[in-house]
Amino acid sequence: MTPSTVAIIITVITMLMFFTNFYPMSVTACLCALAMGICVPKMKLAEIYSGFGGSSIVMVAGMMIVGDALFRTGVAQRLGSRIGTLKIAQNEKWFIVLIVIICTIMSAFLSNSGCIAMWMPIIAAVAAGSNGKIRSKMVIMPAGIACIVGGGATLAGSVSQVVANAVLMGTPGYEAGMGVFDMTRVMWPVCILQVIFWATIGYPILKWALKPESPDFDKGNVYANVSSEIDNSEFDKIPRWKGNVAIFSLIFCIFGFIASGYLPFKRWLNIADIAMIGSAILFVTRALPVKKTLQSLDWDILIMVGAVTALGTGIDKSGAGKVIADNVLGLFGGKDASITSIMVVLIIMSSVLTLFMQNSSVASMLSPIYIPMAISLGISPLPFIILIGIGTNMAIATHIGTAVNMQILPAGYKPIDYVKIGGPLFIIMVAAICFIAPRVLL
């Protein structure tokens, strides 16, 4: 049996394990890494765990800490409380638009799960104090969708693009990976399109799908009877200076990510260094407790990011990537294949798969296939990796697509509600990405 065949068998088994969630993502990724390192002769044993020393895992861990600081110090909660007192919070449609804008921006740099977890009780409290003008169930789903979409706007926004980037960085010649704002080039018009959707046809679709006038509208909604008082008492005990340090750390990281793409900063900083500095500021100033913060990190994701690099390495070293790429390209006309057509297929495939699979699993599955495909075409694989990162953040039309969708289920939503509300926006955004991406990335 040839090494390429062995690598393809390991890849297929890994895909099935990711798809079925037979084991946690971290366990599946580690088993795949071990299988590749031991069974593919050209792959060095050290390459099994080389991803744990890469910049991707450091960046993810650092930004987890920086984002978590805003929640632990009460900064995010205080911001939400102030927004709830604005006049716009008395008009349901425009309150939805405001929350969508804020959640999109916040989740581009913070945990989208943490963002929606913060906003759900705030939305419920605002609704309770609005004398029926605002209904929590009408606002929470748009907020959740905004958190998902915003997570696909930057490299720091979600995990799936980091996974794809980790595979890219294991490819010779592309060790630098993609920049923090490479995805933003495609996603900023899509994010604006999302806001326009909620300001126009999105609100009527919400009313049609959820039937707010029905006597069973709030059935199963745990937020329907929440107090109108937003309780921030637990954060009042936290010194304000800790919140200021958390804000400074996030601002430093944002400006650092931008500056690292230009000289002279490019020589001294990369995404991992910046995230490390941001988290170090929080620890050195004691704005965050070290042990509790490290314990709260999502180690399943971190281990998966470190181990999944070996999947791409094994496919590359065994020659399996070239075999797969040549066969797929043959379906599009071989070397004369239209790059635009391949990009459109990739966008649709990654977006649809992520409706039913974990987005990180989709990213780790597609990246090792599309990188050698790009190289066979004589182009940079970066545009394909950017699109995988974007497509895997389009899980807005099913309740199982991402953790955020499951977090908002207690607001009383049914699985069909995700299809009715998220489905039209999903189609609009995927079509927009198919139109924008070839014009921006090629």
Side-chain angles (χ1 to χ4, degrees):
M1 192 178 294
T2 64
S4 61
T5 303
V6 172
I8 289 172
I9 292 172
I10 294 171
T11 301
V12 171
I13 294 172
T14 301
M15 288 178 183
L16 291 173
M17 291 172 70
F18 274 136
F19 187 79
T20 59
N21 292 320
F22 190 77
Y23 291 116
M25 291 188 298
S26 56
V27 176
T28 298
C30 285
L31 290 174
C32 171
L34 287 167
M36 283 292 190
I38 294 170
C39 299
V40 175
K42 291 185 179 180
M43 187 170 165
K44 298 176 182 177
L45 292 178
E47 290 175 322
I48 294 173
Y49 49 82
S50 61
F52 289 97
S55 61
S56 292
I57 193 170
V58 178
M59 191 276 282
V60 173
M63 290 311 296
M64 279 182 177
I65 294 168
V66 172
D68 189 46
L70 293 181
F71 297 103
R72 285 182 178 270
T73 59
V75 171
Q77 290 82 353
R78 292 190 187 101
L79 172 65
S81 299
R82 290 178 183 176
I83 290 169
T85 63
L86 299 176
K87 286 185 179 180
I88 198 172
Q90 298 301 309
N91 181 292
E92 189 169 71
K93 184 173 82 168
W94 294 112
F95 182 60
I96 288 172
V97 172
L98 176 65
I99 295 300
V100 164
I101 292 171
I102 294 169
C103 286
T104 302
I105 295 171
M106 288 182 67
S107 60
F109 300 99
L110 310 177
S111 161
N112 48 17
S113 293
C115 186
I116 193 60
M118 179 202 87
W119 275 104
M120 283 192 291
I122 295 171
I123 290 167
V126 171
S130 69
N131 295 319
K133 293 178 182 177
I134 293 184
R135 293 153 292 192
S136 60
K137 190 173 180 178
M138 294 287 285
V139 184
I140 288 175
M141 183 172 281
I145 290 174
C147 287
I148 296 168
V149 174
T154 69
L155 179 60
S158 186
V159 178
S160 62
Q161 53 262 46
V162 177
V163 172
N165 194 45
V167 179
L168 176 66
M169 293 171 72
T171 305
Y174 297 95
E175 290 84 359
M178 64 173 164
V180 173
F181 298 101
D182 281 350
M183 295 167 62
T184 314
R185 295 159 56 200
V186 176
M187 282 301 291
W188 73 262
V190 177
C191 291
I192 292 174
L193 186 63
Q194 177 204 201
V195 174
I196 294 172
F197 173 84
W198 293 116
T200 53
I201 62 173
Y203 187 64
I205 289 174
L206 272 172
K207 295 175 75 172
W208 165 74
L210 300 179
K211 298 177 174 59
E213 308 307 324
S214 165
D216 295 327
F217 169 65
D218 269 325
K219 186 178 180 180
N221 182 6
V222 301
Y223 298 102
N225 299 310
V226 170
S227 168
S228 60
E229 295 296 321
I230 300 174
D231 184 14
N232 283 328
S233 57
E234 62 176 299
F235 301 109
D236 292 337
K237 301 173 185 177
I238 300 172
R240 291 280 179 153
W241 68 264
K242 290 189 176 184
N244 294 335
V245 173
I247 293 171
F248 172 80
S249 178
L250 177 63
I251 292 173
F252 167 81
C253 288
I254 293 172
F255 279 97
F257 289 145
I258 296 171
S260 64
Y262 302 94
L263 293 173
F265 305 102
K266 196 173 185 178
R267 295 178 180 174
W268 311 106
L269 296 173
N270 62 22
I271 55 175
D273 297 336
I274 294 161
M276 282 183 70
I277 294 170
S279 55
I281 290 170
L282 294 164
F283 290 145
V284 170
T285 59
R286 298 188 179 180
L288 284 183
V290 176
K291 287 187 178 179
K292 284 185 179 180
T293 302
L294 295 181
Q295 287 172 354
S296 67
L297 292 178
D298 193 331
W299 287 100
D300 186 48
I301 288 174
L302 291 174
I303 291 171
M304 195 269 290
V305 170
V308 79
T309 306
L311 173 62
T313 303
I315 288 176
D316 177 49
K317 293 287 181 74
S318 68
K322 188 176 186 307
V323 172
I324 296 170
D326 288 345
N327 279 279
V328 174
L329 281 175
L331 300 175
F332 294 91
K335 297 287 184 180
D336 298 323
S338 165
I339 298 173
T340 299
S341 299
I342 295 174
M343 292 177 79
V344 169
V345 170
L346 173 57
I347 293 163
I348 295 172
M349 181 165 56
S350 59
S351 300
V352 171
L353 284 175
T354 202
L355 293 175
F356 307 99
M357 292 175 62
Q358 291 181 336
N359 55 5
S360 299
S361 300
V362 178
S364 62
M365 180 177 72
L366 294 179
S367 300
I369 296 172
Y370 273 85
I371 289 173
M373 191 185 300
I375 294 171
S376 295
L377 287 168
I379 63 171
S380 167
L382 181 59
F384 288 167
I385 294 300
I386 291 172
L387 291 179
I388 290 171
I390 291 171
T392 51
N393 279 283
M394 292 292 110
I396 61 174
T398 65
H399 67 294
I400 59 173
T402 183
V404 172
N405 284 339
M406 289 182 275
Q407 281 178 268
I408 65 175
L409 273 171
Y413 302 116
K414 300 173 184 176
I416 192 63
D417 294 334
Y418 292 83
V419 179
K420 289 179 177 178
I421 299 166
L425 181 58
F426 173 83
I427 294 170
I428 291 169
M429 289 200 299
V430 170
I433 295 167
C434 289
F435 177 79
I436 296 167
R439 290 162 176 77
V440 173
L441 299 179
L442 292 181

